[in-house]
Amino acid sequence: MILLPGIPGVAFGELLDGDGRSSADARRRIAESLDIDSEWAIVDQVHGNVVLKVDAPGNHGEADGLMTATDGLPLAIGTADCVPVAVISATSRGIAHAGWRGVANGVVRSTVSSLPDEPRTVVLGPHIRRCCYEVGQEVIEACGGFGSTTTEGRSSVDLARAIRSQVPAATEFIDLEICTMCDDRFASYRRDATPERQVSIVWI
């Protein structure tokens, strides 16, 4: 698990950590390593912009973001190229699953808007980056025009820049700058069509 010094309550998983949303064993190991509860709040991710406010663990249905102001309640999403976005305020935590459709549909904005107070810190975890994310012009336009080029010179979209533009109120914006397609420590659907996911978790 990747932890950020000075920023408690945020962790980004690697492939070897397992998917704690679907595996009880992986969830127990991850929870023990982070010293958090082994009962998490999760959702069925659908690449939309629905964000749910929750105060209890369990599967809360179809959504792509979660927010809580409940102490000790872990919120978890799974990704394999999409962007895990952690949002921190003084009194709450939020997390979003943001693929290009989620970015275009405003899931990050919705997550920030769900907080009871202003966002203090936004953190982007490992995701497919502009170096590898070859897309068409329609995707670039849908994501606000944040086009770039891959290392092979093909058109790509910079999801990190697109998300940054959607959270201007955040005091601190942190991008781990890890590409899931380049780095085989992480699941990447674009690289090998894997059904596996790594988890990202936030908690108070």
Side-chain angles (χ1 to χ4, degrees), residues 22-204:
S22 57
S23 166
D25 287 341
R27 185 168 62 253
R28 175 183 50 78
R29 290 194 304 270
I30 293 169
E32 288 178 356
S33 73
L34 298 175
D35 193 25
I36 60 175
D37 198 289
S38 61
E39 297 298 319
W40 302 351
I42 62 173
V43 289
D44 295 324
Q45 299 164 190
V46 293
H47 296 279
N49 63 1
V50 173
V51 177
L52 302 178
K53 301 178 183 181
V54 298
D55 58 10
N59 189 322
H60 293 271
E62 292 188 353
D64 285 276
L66 287 161
M67 187 284 290
T68 192
T70 301
D71 287 355
L73 174 63
L75 313 179
I77 60 163
T79 58
D81 285 336
C82 294
V83 191
V85 184
V87 184
I88 302 167
S89 79
T91 65
S92 61
R93 296 288 187 276
I95 194 164
H97 159 254
W100 76 261
R101 289 179 179 85
V103 172
N105 288 329
V107 69
V108 178
R109 288 194 188 96
S110 295
T111 303
V112 170
S113 297
S114 74
L115 302 179
D117 48 0
E118 288 295 316
R120 183 177 67 206
T121 303
V122 173
V123 187
L124 306 191
H127 63 278
I128 193 167
R129 303 189 67 85
R130 60 187 179 85
C131 57
C132 295
Y133 197 21
E134 182 181 344
V135 298
Q137 187 61 35
E138 71 282 0
V139 172
I140 295 170
E141 292 174 0
C143 292
F146 290 92
S148 187
T149 55
T150 68
T151 52
E152 297 181 349
R154 298 187 175 96
S155 64
S156 69
V157 66
D158 191 332
L159 294 177
R161 286 178 58 215
I163 291 169
R164 179 68 183 93
S165 74
Q166 296 181 4
V167 289
T171 303
E172 182 178 32
F173 186 86
I174 300 170
D175 181 356
L176 297 189
E177 298 185 357
I178 297 173
C179 179
T180 48
M181 189 166 173
C182 289
D183 192 332
D184 61 11
R185 293 177 300 164
F186 302 93
S188 169
Y189 187 84
R190 178 66 69 99
R191 185 180 62 229
D192 49 28
T194 180
E196 297 182 274
R197 301 291 184 268
Q198 53 262 341
V199 293
S200 297
I201 309 164
V202 297
W203 67 97
I204 302 173

